Amino acid sequence: MKGFNGKIVLVTGGSKGIGLACAQQFGAQGARVVISSRTQANIDKALESLPGAVGFAADVSDEAFAAALVQRVNLEVGPIDVLVNSAGAAKRSPRKT
């Protein structure tokens, strides 16, 4: 099945976990997959399992970086058809007892 054939799908947090699994499934459905992660090293490793995909490093917790990512995808790949926001960050703090 190629339900997303040719659609451009951006998956933030697409280098690991649920984001990577989403990116793999969209790729299997024929999508042009773009992933983002905070580090290029994570992107490079993930792209090994995402044939034809591209990735851009961006910390999407920062509004300016997120906007720059969208602009870069639009310029270098094309207009985004589907956005999967799988990026997450946890602020750790000491446990209260």
Side-chain angles (χ1 to χ4, degrees):
M1 181 177 196
K2 298 289 184 183
F4 289 90
N5 198 30
K7 299 289 185 186
I8 297 173
V9 177
L10 170 59
V11 182
T12 67
S15 68
K16 295 181 182 176
I18 293 170
L20 178 58
C22 289
Q24 290 167 331
Q25 289 301 308
F26 277 109
Q29 293 292 316
R32 295 177 59 202
V33 175
V34 181
I35 62 169
S36 73
S37 176
R38 286 177 288 178
T39 67
Q40 189 63 46
N42 287 345
I43 291 169
D44 293 342
K45 183 173 181 179
L47 289 176
E48 293 174 7
S49 68
L50 295 167
V54 295
F56 302 115
D59 181 350
V60 296
S61 68
D62 181 295
E63 186 177 340
F65 287 130
L69 171 64
V70 169
Q71 183 176 22
R72 187 170 181 192
V73 172
N74 281 320
L75 289 172
E76 296 184 29
V77 183
I80 299 165
D81 294 300
V82 178
L83 169 66
V84 177
N85 185 21
S86 185
K91 194 172 211 177
R92 304 219 192 286
S93 60
R95 281 185 138 175
K96 294 182 180 182
T97 56

